[in-house]
Amino acid sequence: MAPPPALPVHPPSGPHHDSKPPKKSQKEMTKAERKELQERQRAAKAEAKASSQPSSSTPAQKKSNKPAEIVPRPPPTPGRAPREATRGAAAVAHETAAGANERGLRIFSHFGLPKAVSAPKGDIHPVTLRLALQFSEFKIVGANARCIATLIAFKTVIQDYVTPQNTTLSRHLMTHLSPQISHLVAARPMSVTMGNAIRQLKLEISGSDIDLPEQDAKDLLCAKIDQYLSERVLAADGIIEENGQKKIKDGDVILTYARSSVVEKVLLAAHESGRRFSVIVVDSRPLLEGKRLLSVLSHAGIKCKYILLPSIGSIITEVSTVIVGAHSIHTNGAVYSRAGTALVAMMAKQHSIPFIVCCETYKFSEGVQLDSFTKNELAPPGDRIATFPLTKPRESLTLANSPHLEVLNPLYDLTPPTSITAVVTEVGIVPPNSISSIPVALGRLL
Amino acid sequence: MDFDESSVKVATQEFVAVVLAGFGTNLIPLTSNHGDEPCPKALLPIANRPMLDYPLSWLEGSRIRDVLLICPAPQKAAISHYLHSDSSASSFPSLRIDLQIYDETVESGQGTCDVLRQIANRIKQDFVVIPCDFVPPPSFNLTAVLDKFRTESTYDGSIATACFFEAPKPDKNTVTEEWGMLPPPLPIVWDNKTGTLLHVDTPDDFDQHNEDLQLTMSLLTSYPRAMLSTSFQDAHVYVCRRSVLDALQEKSDIESLREEFIPWLCEIQYSTSKRAKYGAILNPPSNATTQNLALQHSTLHTTLPKHPHHLAPPSTEDVRTAASSPLDPEPAEFHDVSFRVGIILHRATQGFAARANTLQTYLDVNRHCLTQTTYSLPTDSESRALIDTKAQISSDSMVGHTTKVGERTSIKKSVIGKHCIIGKMVKVVGCVVLDHCVIADGAKLDGCILGKNTKIGAKAELSKCVTQAGYEVEGGESFKNEKLDVSDWTVPDDTSEEDDNAQSDVGDDSA
């Protein structure tokens, strides 16, 4: 073949062209060289963009963008780009291995990684500090638990609050509570239940009577908090137990996923009232909450089976009903729950098994959610959660972030309303789409 | 307005820090009296900053405001003077330091527990005990210890959190036997996964069992994957619940916090008899709202005990409490509360930590601080003028201000205090020289610690010696591996008189 026509080599006009080989046309280059060129061009584009726009726009840009944003060093000259392009993934690994917390998560980068609880800004009440630690260390987990914990902590904060000189409780207390709420959100993103409860609390605070002496106003607020908890959480759970029991008959095989405080109560209540049934607990990593449910149920004397999520296909034919809990339920009837619930729902629907969601009305969220990518949360890496003793050292059983492996643990997923048979709430058993028609759920009637 | 701000800020301080400044019996003769004035251990300088600076700066960084500083009565004036001086007021602006004395003389040998019992009524909330001689590494934050305590005491009913560090092993040739015995290795047993301290060997155990380490079966049943090590030392930093002080009052025969009380506390978590006896004291029923209801609903928490032998016969009542409880705080059943003592281990790879409570460690800490900084000649002209241009001061030394250094003097790897006068042709290697010392020409000092106001005569040679404050060494004398004490002089009644030469008798001081 004739030697390829070489394009004229320009005299070096800066650091750019030092190490560049003479330009060949695209056809003549090997695949590797073409890729190199592409990477170089991308890197050059990335630098130009990196300083002005930190958020990545297209997936193509993401790869080269990430090294530029994450590592705060001066943008590399394009002369070094060929070397970098060949290093490729290794470059990302090198830089990010040093700051392991700042991995470039391609898919879920928009909801960020769990970060350590930062130094509290402002005057945070010790109870709030402790609560934030309980959240970030995954000691208090679950929509109900977090809401209860938040409200009880706020009761203490309200009792310790002193209204300053020139303002009233109804106006100032909310500004006092705001930094506490931000601190809790910084520890872990707020759950829908917490959000609804805090909204109700704000309503109560702004509606509190100016003429009341301070202690009375505080006591009234604490009483309102107690009332909210007892009516919309605990009493609601009681009614759901009764309603849910109707769905459990003797000889049933109930399947449940992970651990929901409401479902646990339903199953225990049904067992108490004398029904004979058995339970299959489906569990998944990394939290392995099902193990705790298993210990509670077997302690109560219920016959249980325990499987992990991948093996659900082999056991689904034996199941008579599936009962799960929820983190929140949306206007379109979609249920936002622990990651894996959607899979269970899909299997159940495929085999025509009724899929029942137990959910209090205060978990209702007014938004419409169509997928679990726009809003989700990542669990922190590592296995600091399970405390059951194991025969093998823990490190060999968990996946850890290594230079060529990133572990993603989204905590929630969305079950579409078409897979759900019924939702058991304290106002009755309703189809999922009609949640939005319940006045109580919308906070109108109380 | 400031007026409004102060009334909004809630005055409930979560923790109070108790800083214990003792006599420093292991640092004699450095801590012996200088004439009539005491030399408090807490004010001995490390890298030309008083020792007390280090724990106080550590506290400053952790957002604890209230500090209760306990010192023996004779030292109160000196420490109070330091606290009110300019240097300290600017370094710890946010600390409110309350200086209290405890009545003790060196001879009465009261332990740290008695000190705590005396001041128990001043402590109303959870507290942190810190010794005045702990030098924490910069990477180690007190907030980490506090956070662990906060998390665990809410979640688990843990009662305290302790802190152990891995001391760097000293080389054989740098250890001077005459300065005192190295502390014997301390075996501790802990559980790595949960960070629980399980067993600390006490000196009594050591005497009783000689070569064996005895552990109870209940410890091993509860924590089958416990780890044992002797390479850790106690930092004497304890974060405790307030109820621990009540338990301390109960056990009035215990004297030492580190040696007796903490090992005793560790036993409560797995000893059913101790739990039954002290459980109510350590976990008193109170009206404070707890997170028990939330924990019952939490999906990663079960109220069931881990092992069947810990519990009463199972009844479904226990399990149903989540559903039927009203909102009042539940009386905490004892199988819910673990009475654990948490532990935070600081490895040698994470940074240098030490307690400067013996002569050897005091020297080591100073040496370590020297490696962290490089020396440069002082910038203000007055101090600059005092240092002769022909003096050789190596970059790993530290010289205090207004110190006069004569010509052709070489100073290597040493810390020299303020207002010293060092003559010509002096060789100082690896020493710690406190303030106001006078070293005459031609002296050679190697690995020594000189107390305040020490005078070293011309051409004296001192190797690995420690002198008391105000000591005088005659010209031409040479000492090796000795602790030089003023009481060896037969006569003197005033301090540092040129006239008394009656001190030809220098004996060997053993610890």
Side-chain angles (χ1 to χ4, degrees), chain A residues 50-64:
Chain A
S51 45
S52 51
Q53 198 188 12
S55 61
S56 46
S57 40
T58 60
Q61 289 256 325
K62 269 187 193 168
K63 191 160 192 260
S64 41

Side-chain angles (χ1 to χ4, degrees), chain A residues 198-273:
Chain A
I198 290 176
R199 205 174 306 131
Q200 187 66 26
L201 181 63
K202 285 190 186 177
L203 191 63
E204 295 294 337
I205 292 176
S206 60
S208 79
D209 194 355
I210 290 188
D211 297 323
L212 276 181
E214 185 175 320
Q215 190 55 44
D216 287 353
K218 293 198 278 191
D219 289 341
L220 188 64
L221 281 174
C222 291
K224 286 272 169 60
I225 290 179
D226 283 341
Q227 187 190 14
Y228 186 87
L229 278 178
S230 69
E231 276 181 13
R232 304 208 60 186
V233 183
L234 297 173
D237 283 350
I239 302 178
I240 292 177
E241 276 173 36
E242 282 178 42
N243 289 343
Q245 281 182 48
K246 296 182 202 147
K247 293 293 171 189
I248 301 178
K249 300 179 288 296
D250 278 340
D252 264 357
V253 177
I254 312 283
L255 185 122
T256 180
Y257 180 72
R259 184 185 185 194
S260 162
S261 47
V262 194
V263 173
E264 187 179 317
K265 291 184 190 178
V266 169
L267 293 174
L268 292 171
H271 185 75
E272 281 278 288
S273 65

Side-chain angles (χ1 to χ4, degrees), chain B residues 168-179:
Chain B
K169 296 197 189 354
D171 297 327
K172 273 301 172 192
N173 18 350
T174 55
V175 171
T176 315
E177 299 289 323
E178 288 81 357
W179 282 3

